[in-house]
Amino acid sequence: MAKHAHARDKQLLLTQDDYSIVAESCKALWSVRRRGEYILNSTYIAMSPHHHDYTPSPSYHDLAVDTNLGNASVHYIEAGSVSKPTVLLLHGFPSSSNQFRDLVPLLSDSYHVLAPDLPGFGLTKVPEDFVYTFDALTTIIAAWLIALNVTRYAVYIFDYGAPVGLRLALQNPDHIAAIISQNGNAYDSGFGQPFWEPIMALWNETNPNSEADRDSLRAFYLQIGGTDYQYTTGVPEGDLKLVNPVAAQIDYYLNLEGRRKQDVQLDLFYDYRNTPPLYPKVQEYFRKSQVPLLAAWGKGDPVFIPPGAEDFKKDLPDAEIHLLDAGHFALETKRWEIAALMKKFLKTVKF
């Protein structure tokens, strides 16, 4: 068998003589997922020289980028053929690209999928003196996209992925082929109370970012109980068994455990105050561009509530809105439905 050196990975390549053998054994490589979703097993086989860039199983990378904020190393998941349209998945608090572990294989047969860890999350590394703001997070992700030569993509925005993804859209609107919002907010109406009340207390102009308010958030929002709350609140009782309890543990130990990590998250809580003032510009971008938008929104989410999804229609009359019977981390219980909605929607998009 010949070997092919991919731009980022070394992968197994079968010759034409081997192709018929592989074709006969394909049935053994496929498995049926619940609700009729089909994906390849984790074993990677490139079935012909014409498919050498197709990677159905996720691969994991670290890419060095140089910015005006210093050198960074962006950790990311990649799957699918680089010749296919790119879908960029941007995770939320307090997760990482691990949030998309089950979605990526559902998309990678049709799309080139990229899912980075934002700075302050997962395995992405930034300088010690890095100042954690959403402008800074966007700077790092924009530099990473340039390094990968990705200039046209659909972006999936969730939670913190929205402030980053929407800033990317404002900076380079021509780069955005479409937006998929899974509880990714762009309207004041989308803020769920009482979840946001203690965070917004940090923004108090008379005593901003006080230690007392930071400690109050540290006591619950940055503990494992607060993480579990985001994973389980609003999830129908019958679906709770679908929520992988390991996910919250990974989020906590990777991104929240210890005072230094907590200070990073508190700095981002405080900086979120600079995102709502951008909403008028974002909404103007929606009206002018009429960018295709799909909202697949967990209607039980206590963090970003359904009016935030419904208000997309104000500026994007053709937006497709689906309120799903799910919570904040809707992929935990509705990934099959979300993947199906995405594939149907993206077929109509001009990349």
Side-chain angles (χ1 to χ4, degrees):
M1 294 183 185
K3 289 185 178 179
H4 172 79
H6 187 272
R8 302 186 184 94
D9 305 285
K10 291 183 179 178
Q11 302 175 350
L12 178 65
L13 180 68
L14 301 185
T15 67
Q16 290 288 0
D17 291 340
D18 299 313
Y19 183 78
S20 61
I21 300 174
V22 174
E24 286 296 319
S25 60
C26 273
K27 292 179 182 178
L29 293 174
W30 290 87
S31 61
V32 180
R33 292 293 294 268
R34 69 183 71 208
R35 310 190 191 192
E37 189 68 46
Y38 290 77
I39 65 168
L40 276 169
N41 283 338
S42 59
T43 304
Y44 171 68
I45 293 183
M47 291 193 296
S48 82
H50 305 293
H51 292 79
H52 65 268
D53 61 351
Y54 177 52
T55 314
S57 296
S59 55
Y60 304 89
H61 310 267
D62 298 279
L63 181 64
V65 296
D66 187 14
T67 74
N68 60 349
L69 302 178
N71 296 325
S73 175
V74 177
H75 179 79
Y76 64 101
I77 299 173
E78 182 175 29
S81 169
V82 296
S83 66
K84 294 184 180 295
T86 296
V87 177
L88 172 65
L89 308 177
L90 296 177
H91 69 81
F93 166 85
S95 195
S96 64
S97 58
N98 183 63
Q99 175 189 332
F100 301 113
R101 64 197 179 278
D102 293 319
L103 180 65
V104 169
L106 300 180
L107 300 176
S108 60
D109 61 333
S110 302
Y111 298 96
H112 174 228
V113 185
L114 294 169
D117 290 347
L118 299 176
F121 301 87
L123 301 180
T124 287
K125 297 179 176 62
V126 291
E128 284 293 323
D129 60 352
F130 188 82
V131 178
Y132 288 88
T133 67
F134 286 96
D135 282 345
L137 268 58
T138 304
T139 295
I140 299 298
I141 297 303
W144 168 74
L145 288 168
I146 290 171
L148 290 176
N149 196 30
V150 174
T151 58
R152 183 73 170 167
Y153 52 91
V155 61
Y156 180 115
I157 56 174
F158 165 74
D159 192 88
Y160 277 9
V164 174
L166 295 174
R167 280 172 167 83
L168 291 172
L170 291 177
Q171 291 174 7
N172 291 289
D174 292 342
H175 290 190
I176 308 300
I179 296 173
I180 299 97
S181 174
Q182 190 259 290
N183 301 73
N185 196 44
Y187 295 87
D188 290 336
S189 60
F191 288 103
Q193 300 295 354
F195 183 90
W196 279 93
E197 185 176 351
I199 297 173
M200 290 178 174
L202 281 180
W203 311 347
N204 189 321
E205 293 182 1
T206 59
N207 190 21
N209 204 23
S210 72
E211 281 302 317
D213 287 329
R214 289 171 71 94
D215 286 344
S216 176
L217 290 166
R218 198 188 304 270
F220 178 68
Y221 283 65
L222 303 184
Q223 303 300 322
I224 187 62
T227 306
D228 284 334
Y229 171 83
Q230 291 191 72
Y231 271 91
T232 59
T233 300
V235 177
E237 185 176 355
D239 284 349
L240 284 172
K241 62 182 178 294
L242 300 177
V243 178
N244 185 347
V246 175
Q249 296 285 329
I250 291 172
D251 289 354
Y252 173 72
Y253 287 110
L254 194 60
N255 302 318
L256 300 180
E257 186 187 37
R259 194 169 187 87
R260 171 58 183 154
K261 292 177 183 177
Q262 291 178 357
D263 283 340
V264 167
Q265 300 306 327
L266 290 166
D267 288 348
L268 288 172
F269 280 165
Y270 180 57
D271 186 68
Y272 207 102
R273 76 194 189 283
N274 293 315
T275 292
L278 285 180
Y279 288 165
K281 290 183 179 179
V282 170
Q283 293 153 19
E284 181 183 10
Y285 155 70
F286 289 161
R287 290 190 295 272
K288 287 184 176 180
S289 69
Q290 288 301 298
V291 61
L293 184 139
L294 165 70
W297 203 279
K299 66 181 181 181
D301 183 7
V303 184
F304 294 112
I305 57 178
E310 294 162 343
D311 277 356
F312 284 120
K313 283 281 192 180
K314 292 181 178 179
D315 300 304
L316 295 168
D318 294 330
E320 187 177 329
I321 313 298
H322 297 269
L323 298 180
L324 307 176
D325 201 4
H328 187 61
F329 285 97
L331 289 175
E332 291 295 306
T333 60
K334 299 295 183 183
R335 56 185 171 274
W336 308 275
E337 288 88 340
I338 292 173
L341 287 169
M342 288 177 66
K343 285 186 168 183
K344 181 180 178 182
F345 167 72
L346 289 171
K347 284 181 180 178
T348 70
V349 171
K350 295 179 180 179
F351 282 89

